[in-house]
Amino acid sequence: MVVGVLTAGVALGVAHLVAALVNPAADPVLAVGSVAIDLAPQPLKAYAIRTFGANDKIALLGGVYTLLTLAAVLLGAGAVRRRRYGAAGLAAFAGLGVVAVLSRPITTPVDILPVLAGAGIGMAAMLVLVRAARTVTASASSRPRLLNRRQFLATTAGAALTAGATATIGQAVGRRSAVGARARAAVRLPPPVRPAPPLPAGVSARVDGVSAFRTPNRDFYRVDTALTVPQVDLETWRLTLDGAVDRPRTWTFDDLLARGLVERDITLNCVSNEVGGPYVGTARWSGVPLAPLLREAGIHPGQNQLVSRSVEGMTIGTPLEAILDGRDALLAVAMNGEPLPLEHGFPVRMLVPGLYGYVGACKWLTSMKVTTFDAFDPYWVQRGWAADAPVKTASRIDTPKPFAQRRAGPVMLAGVAWAQRRGITAVEVQIDDGPWRQARLADGPSPDLWRQWTYRWDAPVGSHTLRVRATDGTGATQTGQRATPFPDGATGWHSTTVTIT
Ligand SMILES: Nc1nc2c(c(=O)[nH]1)N[C@H]1C(S)=C(S)[C@@H](COP(=O)(O)O)O[C@H]1N2
Ligand SMILES: [Mo]
């Protein structure tokens, strides 16, 4: 066990350190984790998002490390018996690492260096450890056992130290070389040429426990497949537009800024959000209007899909019609007054009001291609999600929280409702099996923004179930029929149970 785990520790520590110097995405553990994300069947992905939420990546890496540890134990046991077995096991792992690294869209052949270095030094560590282990376990030892044991302890301590030191230094080097953070810190954004219309004070319900109307960046949900946050260097970053257009184009970051920024408050949400879930937020975005860029390029007739590609290889397909119909489709460069946070897509992300993020909000954007839905299935569509995914009307009870206890008497219920593009025109609340009652709506200055609601409830003693439903600008009321997020967004009424004493 000790031989196996320490061999793996040294190999992965060295690989991590070399990857920090070469390309963070070339770390074999991260690469294998990323392959697992891409290969995971849909139900497993849905389970992971549902169970671990924003910690899904930590859970995934925990799983990878658990499997690695088991495999390392077997490798160690084999190696102590016959070095050959250990060597073969290590080689098999290196092979897996090489394949995983090369399968990533942002790696090049030199990126197998970390795996090779890890495997080579891991092999040396394994041979030293096996020799030391054999002197302890050999029954016919010529030396006193105590001495052998000391030597074994010294060897294992050395290996553990090597593993720990390389991993720690790798971590530190990785942080220092974060080009994205440096690039972002140097960005100076011009003020918007068209600022967002001021928000009326009445958009906020002013009830304790309701979501902030504008979500601070640090609280904004994050959903993506990137195990390491992509680091973009603005010196080399370019955005291209090509495909079925008369005039393909390439822009630098400064070219985009020079077009002038518009500023808009827009609510963004994720198709994976369960009824009542947290993957929705509102921010003040600034960016370059997308429709004029496409029109200037001259779209060929018969095209209906814009495929965005991000620096780490995500593909997102957006209906051209949604971008060109007059809504505020943006290439966003700022979020709540600062350059996009790295996690939210620095330097540029797309934003199309009314569409779930996976069809309209590509982060770390680097290219756009005009094409058709017939010609290309983007990442999530390949995995069975709907190609056309307008946001479904939804509402959520923010307060009281599930299983809250309150005193009998007036209790304020409050929450948010959203139906981007259509807007929210009514929210109703139901207590137990009573009649649906109108909630009070806060101001709703734009259909692309969520809307807060409140309801003053005269709460009697007992255990009660609270339900909420919304009606959108077309007059359609949310269906009570429960549907899972897959394949085009959850439906059903959010409910919560509280105890009144
Ligand atoms: N490059 C890239 N862009 C992406 C994704 C991704 O995995 N990779 N996820 C999409 C999804 S599913 C959503 S809901 C939004 C989430 O944006 P946020 O993390 O800034 O909230 O980003 C979208 N853009
Ligand atoms: Mo999403």
Side-chain angles (χ1 to χ4, degrees):
M1 269 181 68
V2 171
V3 168
V5 169
L6 286 177
T7 298
V10 169
L12 296 176
V14 168
H16 185 63
L17 174 55
V18 178
L21 298 165
V22 183
N23 172 359
D27 182 292
V29 175
L30 291 178
V32 167
S34 301
V35 170
I37 292 178
D38 290 354
L39 293 184
Q42 173 46 39
L44 186 63
K45 274 204 178 79
Y47 168 82
I49 293 177
R50 199 165 55 239
T51 314
F52 304 111
N55 293 322
D56 55 353
K57 296 184 183 72
I58 294 166
L60 171 79
L61 286 179
V64 170
Y65 277 113
T66 306
L67 288 180
L68 267 174
T69 308
L70 291 176
V73 167
L74 290 180
L75 184 142
V80 171
R81 252 157 227 112
R82 282 196 190 284
R83 269 176 275 244
R84 241 190 282 137
Y85 294 163
L90 207 55
F93 265 101
L96 189 72
V98 165
V99 171
V101 166
L102 289 181
S103 76
R104 300 284 82 212
I106 34 172
T107 52
T108 56
V110 284
D111 291 331
I112 64 171
L113 222 67
V115 180
L116 297 186
I121 296 177
M123 193 76 81
M126 186 186 77
L127 294 178
V128 174
L129 285 162
V130 165
R131 199 176 42 210
R134 281 183 177 168
T135 59
V136 192
T137 49
S139 50
S141 173
S142 53
R143 283 202 279 168
R145 291 190 68 96
L146 189 63
L147 203 65
N148 291 344
R149 232 177 251 169
R150 249 187 225 153
Q151 192 201 338
F152 182 63
L153 279 182
T155 314
T156 53
L161 211 68
T162 310
T166 47
T168 313
I169 298 172
Q171 207 68 8
V173 171
R175 259 197 298 276
R176 272 214 17 237
S177 65
V179 288
R182 265 187 281 135
R184 181 176 182 270
V187 165
R188 295 287 167 270
L189 293 173
V193 291
R194 276 188 279 151
L199 284 172
V203 295
S204 293
R206 271 179 249 290
V207 172
D208 272 351
V210 73
S211 311
F213 187 81
R214 268 206 300 170
T215 316
N217 289 351
R218 65 172 182 285
D219 298 335
F220 207 96
Y221 81 92
R222 176 183 167 202
V223 172
D224 56 59
T225 61
L227 267 184
T228 43
V229 178
Q231 300 279 335
V232 170
D233 179 0
L234 284 182
E235 296 296 314
T236 52
W237 179 87
R238 295 290 181 274
L239 175 63
T240 59
L241 169 62
D242 58 17
V245 293
D246 295 332
R247 292 167 291 278
R249 285 240 17 207
T250 300
W251 296 274
T252 64
F253 189 66
D254 286 337
D255 292 339
L256 290 176
L257 296 187
R259 291 187 63 102
L261 302 180
V262 309
E263 189 184 54
R264 288 288 176 269
D265 297 318
I266 294 167
T267 297
L268 173 67
N269 56 325
C270 181
V271 70
S272 295
N273 204 28
E274 300 279 349
V275 171
Y279 304 144
V280 53
T282 296
R284 174 159 293 183
W285 310 90
S286 322
V288 180
L290 178 54
L293 292 182
L294 297 184
R295 291 217 171 84
E296 287 165 25
I299 300 169
H300 295 174
Q303 308 303 307
N304 55 14
Q305 180 174 225
L306 182 69
V307 173
S308 306
R309 193 177 288 273
S310 69
V311 298
E312 87 294 4
M314 171 56 68
T315 51
I316 284 184
T318 309
L320 273 174
E321 196 197 339
I323 297 169
L324 298 171
D325 72 0
R327 70 185 82 182
D328 291 317
L330 296 178
L331 297 180
V333 298
M335 182 176 183
N336 289 326
E338 26 176 294
L340 284 181
L342 300 189
E343 298 77 19
H344 295 290
F346 177 83
V348 176
R349 79 173 304 167
M350 196 175 287
L351 212 61
V352 182
L355 301 183
Y356 289 117
Y358 84 105
V359 285
C362 189
K363 306 194 274 187
W364 311 294
L365 184 65
T366 186
S367 82
M368 302 180 289
K369 196 181 207 83
V370 172
T371 178
T372 63
F373 281 102
D374 285 343
F376 183 76
D377 282 344
Y379 185 92
W380 289 108
V381 178
Q382 284 168 27
R383 287 160 178 79
W385 293 80
D388 190 10
V391 167
K392 294 181 181 174
T393 305
S395 51
R396 183 175 77 189
I397 303 169
D398 285 344
T399 182
K401 293 274 173 250
F403 309 114
Q405 299 212 7
R406 296 292 172 85
R407 283 286 175 73
V411 169
M412 282 310 271
L413 277 45
V416 284
W418 59 90
Q420 291 93 306
R421 289 280 76 206
R422 302 178 300 280
I424 293 292
T425 51
V427 168
E428 294 161 287
V429 171
Q430 185 189 38
I431 314 290
D432 301 319
D433 292 320
W436 286 96
R437 297 197 184 281
Q438 292 293 330
R440 178 194 291 268
L441 286 180
D443 284 348
S446 149
D448 295 333
L449 283 168
W450 62 10
R451 199 155 178 189
Q452 300 199 347
W453 60 266
T454 56
Y455 180 80
R456 189 176 173 281
W457 173 39
D458 200 13
V461 172
S463 173
H464 299 287
T465 301
L466 319 174
R467 267 182 213 91
V468 66
R469 70 180 187 191
T471 299
D472 72 14
T474 71
T477 299
Q478 247 182 283
T479 169
Q481 192 91 40
R482 279 271 174 169
T484 60
F486 184 77
D488 61 358
T491 62
W493 297 325
H494 185 212
S495 71
T496 184
T497 302
V498 296
T499 304
I500 305 297
T501 57

